[in-house]
Amino acid sequence: MKQTIATVALLVRDYDEAIDFYVDKLGFALVADTDMGGGKRWVVVSPRGGSGANLLLAEGKGEEQMAAIGRQAGGRVGFFLHTDDFARDHAAFTAAGVKFLEAPRHEVYGSVAVFEDLYGNKWDLLEPKG
C-alpha cells in the first residue's frame, strides 16, 4: 500500500492576502485558484520544485474558524519547510520581510530557523543534514 498526504488545509483570513504571502514572499507556486461559487474558492499553493504536500488556503468562516487562524498548532511550530539551501532561502525570506523569531541554528539534524506566516503560524525553515 502506498499513501501520501497530498494537501493540508490552512485557515486564512483572506484568500488574496494569503496568496500574496505564500507566492510573493515565500516563492510558492499558485497551483489552483478556482471559483467554487458563493465567495468560496479552491486555492492551492505549493513550494516550487517540491514533492511534499500542498497547502489548501481555506478562508475561515464563522467564529470558531476565525478564532483558529494563526493558532492552528496551538503556538507550536506546526509546519516544516525543507530546503536544499538554507542560506539562500533565509536571505530571500528576510529580504521579503518574513518575520523570523530566532537566528539560524545548526543542529544535529540540520540548519533551522523558526519564522511566522502572515497570521502568526510558526514554521521551521529547515535544511536537513545528509
Side-chain angles (χ1 to χ4, degrees):
M1 175 190 298
K2 181 179 178 181
Q3 297 178 332
T4 302
I5 295 176
T7 306
V8 175
L10 178 69
L11 287 169
V12 300
R13 186 174 33 245
D14 177 83
Y15 292 119
D16 293 318
E17 73 180 6
I19 290 169
D20 286 346
F21 179 82
Y22 287 99
V23 172
D24 295 340
K25 291 190 182 291
L26 297 188
F28 285 19
L30 181 61
V31 175
D33 187 354
T34 305
D35 186 344
M36 304 295 286
K40 188 174 180 181
R41 291 158 58 184
W42 182 260
V43 179
V44 178
V45 297
S46 180
R48 294 183 189 275
S51 60
N54 295 324
L55 282 180
L56 171 67
L57 303 179
E59 194 173 76
K61 301 293 181 199
E63 187 177 315
E64 184 178 5
Q65 290 180 15
M66 295 303 286
I69 294 171
R71 300 181 25 240
Q72 291 198 187
R76 294 183 61 119
V77 172
F79 303 93
F80 301 82
L81 180 60
H82 285 198
T83 178
D84 63 350
D85 188 334
F86 179 87
R88 175 199 64 212
D89 290 344
H90 185 268
F93 290 2
T94 300
V98 173
K99 179 182 175 185
F100 279 87
L101 302 179
E102 63 182 11
R105 299 181 274 123
H106 303 287
E107 303 289 350
V108 296
Y109 55 83
S111 298
V112 63
V114 177
F115 70 92
E116 287 183 335
D117 70 12
L118 72 165
Y119 301 114
N121 292 301
K122 292 179 183 172
W123 289 69
D124 268 359
L125 175 62
L126 173 63
E127 181 179 355
K129 280 192 179 172

